[in-house]
Amino acid sequence: MLCTVRDVQAPQFELIVERELHGIRIDSFLARHFRNYTPWRLSRIVRAGGVTIDESPIEETRRVVRGERVQVRLLEPPDKLLAPEPRELPLIYSDPWMMVVDKPAGLIAHPTGDYQAGTLVNICQYLLDRQTPLPGLLRPGIVHRLDRQTSGLMVVATNHRAHAELTASFEEGRVVKRYLALVEGRVESEAGVIDLPIGRARAGRGVLMSCRADAVDRKRAVTRYRVLARYRTHTLVEARPLTGRNHQIRVHFAQLGHPLDGDEFYLAKGALRSIRSAIRAELSGLADELEGMPGPPLEEVDGRHFLHAAQLELPHPITGQWMVFSSPLPEDLQSRLERLVPESSVLS
């Protein structure tokens, strides 16, 4: 439990050791709570006398016991702070343990490789820094991802316990995700289940996925769907992935012969666009975003696939209360729907 800061110059906190952290070293315990600090930096603070347990001095090798009260004076700044990105982001819900955001298309979720700025996490760090007297006292935790060009709902943990509980909920199938997808062609069944394993495509250096039998490291992938509307050349479906494979909805519908409208990679029946041009387009888009280059506002991204995470249902990581969040279809996708001819108009 993280208590209120008392001194802006040398922030002071009191923590109560949780059951699940009983028996770990003090530096590891502190690193769970102060996630922008490395255990090495926290060990320095312990050695300098900045940490006591029940008001008594301790050694850096001390292990914590459930129920103990740990007093902390953060004598040094965080040493692995995410670069905050001062951009606005639609915030659907926020409390001391988590927040739910409505991710725009064109934004990647998490820093990767050499690119450590310009992502959704960097924007979330900025939002959290506005809630604390000093930057870096809280750190956003990603527990699931959306593709760069997929818009919609994402939940972000803001402390270690919420991160662990939310991760477990996703891994154990206690989270319901519903997407709106516009696919090419006419999906014959009104509802169905796609149960096809997905692995890495042998072309594309791990960027792309595939349902083909020669895909690398194939794992079971299951998607439920139902038809919402039919158009002359397209079908609007609600898709609910029951597993969490990369590009799952996109790969599954493309394999059935119904690739997503505007998909930059996947064609019907498992075919791929030019691998070289696809990778170049993806990496170019990432570079533009991550280097902070000037560009249109987040909500005005063009040329993306039609996939939107419209609903998210999950138990609250602390209270267990069942929570339901919704996101309306973005204007760019709504505009694409309005340009289509409904099937009923064709038949009449």
Side-chain angles (χ1 to χ4, degrees):
M1 180 176 68
L2 192 61
C3 298
T4 306
V5 63
R6 299 195 294 269
D7 183 351
V8 173
Q9 297 303 315
Q12 300 184 42
F13 298 89
E14 184 170 89
L15 311 170
I16 299 176
V17 179
E18 304 95 324
R19 173 181 53 82
E20 61 271 20
L21 299 184
H22 171 84
I24 69 174
R25 276 178 50 131
I26 183 64
D27 52 356
S28 297
F29 170 78
L30 294 173
R32 298 290 185 91
H33 286 277
F34 302 103
R35 301 193 314 141
N36 277 319
Y37 285 79
T38 61
W40 176 84
R41 178 61 61 90
L42 292 166
S43 290
R44 280 170 50 105
I45 294 175
V46 174
R47 289 197 301 272
V51 180
T52 58
I53 294 181
D54 294 332
E55 306 293 346
S56 298
I58 61 170
E59 299 291 332
E60 61 183 298
T61 56
R62 171 72 146 77
R63 295 184 179 272
V64 298
V65 176
R66 177 184 179 184
E68 287 182 329
R69 307 181 77 89
V70 180
Q71 296 80 36
V72 185
R73 294 180 67 237
L74 293 176
L75 304 176
E76 300 185 30
D79 54 340
K80 61 173 185 177
L81 182 63
L82 288 163
E85 184 80 12
R87 299 165 69 177
E88 295 301 320
L89 184 70
L91 188 61
I92 305 300
Y93 175 83
S94 179
D95 65 24
W97 302 282
M98 71 177 205
M99 53 186 173
V100 178
V101 300
D102 199 347
K103 186 188 88 68
L107 188 66
I108 68 169
H110 199 280
T112 180
D114 294 333
Y115 304 107
Q116 298 298 315
T119 73
L120 180 140
V121 167
N122 296 105
I123 300 175
C124 289
Q125 183 68 67
Y126 169 73
L127 296 177
L128 292 178
D129 284 348
R130 296 199 298 186
Q131 302 175 20
T132 58
L134 291 176
L137 296 182
L138 297 174
R139 182 185 179 95
I142 294 294
V143 294
H144 69 123
R145 290 172 173 79
L146 296 179
D147 295 341
R148 180 172 65 91
Q149 295 291 23
T150 299
S151 56
L153 297 171
M154 287 185 63
V155 60
V156 180
T158 56
N159 70 20
H160 80 94
R161 184 180 174 194
H163 190 276
E165 293 294 334
L166 287 169
T167 299
S169 290
F170 276 91
E171 291 178 349
E172 296 167 9
R174 291 184 279 122
V175 177
V176 178
K177 298 177 289 183
R178 302 182 193 276
Y179 294 76
L180 297 179
L182 183 69
V183 303
E184 297 177 3
R186 190 180 197 280
V187 178
E188 293 298 330
S189 300
E190 291 296 324
V193 177
I194 308 172
D195 189 346
L196 295 171
I198 292 176
R200 288 183 290 109
R202 289 199 171 271
R205 298 184 181 178
V207 174
L208 305 182
M209 309 301 289
S210 174
C211 286
R212 285 176 37 161
D214 66 344
V216 178
D217 192 24
R218 294 201 304 165
K219 296 179 180 178
R220 191 181 184 213
V222 182
T223 304
R224 292 186 181 275
Y225 71 88
R226 65 186 180 98
V227 172
L228 299 179
R230 296 185 182 279
Y231 301 90
R232 183 178 63 183
T233 57
H234 291 76
T235 305
L236 181 67
V237 300
E238 177 191 86
R240 178 187 169 190
L242 303 185
T243 52
R245 310 299 170 222
N246 289 344
H247 300 180
Q248 178 171 315
I249 294 172
R250 299 164 61 188
V251 173
H252 267 173
F253 278 98
Q255 184 66 31
L256 294 187
H258 302 290
L260 265 63
D261 181 59
D263 198 301
E264 58 268 51
F265 294 153
Y266 301 106
L267 300 173
K269 301 297 184 181
L272 300 173
R273 296 190 189 278
S274 166
I275 299 299
R276 181 171 298 177
S277 61
I279 295 174
R280 184 184 302 117
E282 177 73 357
L283 295 179
S284 173
L286 287 174
D288 289 351
E289 190 63 36
L290 294 168
E291 292 175 6
M293 296 176 64
L298 292 176
E299 66 273 11
E300 297 181 3
V301 176
D302 292 325
R304 57 119 162 184
H305 55 246
F306 195 120
L307 186 62
H308 179 67
Q311 190 165 327
L312 183 66
E313 304 178 32
L314 73 166
H316 189 278
I318 305 302
T319 68
Q321 177 185 356
W322 191 251
M323 310 187 78
V324 180
F325 304 99
S326 298
S327 167
L329 199 63
E331 290 184 7
D332 63 332
L333 300 187
Q334 184 63 45
S335 176
R336 281 158 76 171
L337 279 184
E338 292 170 355
R339 294 196 297 268
L340 297 177
V341 179
E343 185 180 65
S344 57
S345 300
V346 178
L347 295 177
S348 61

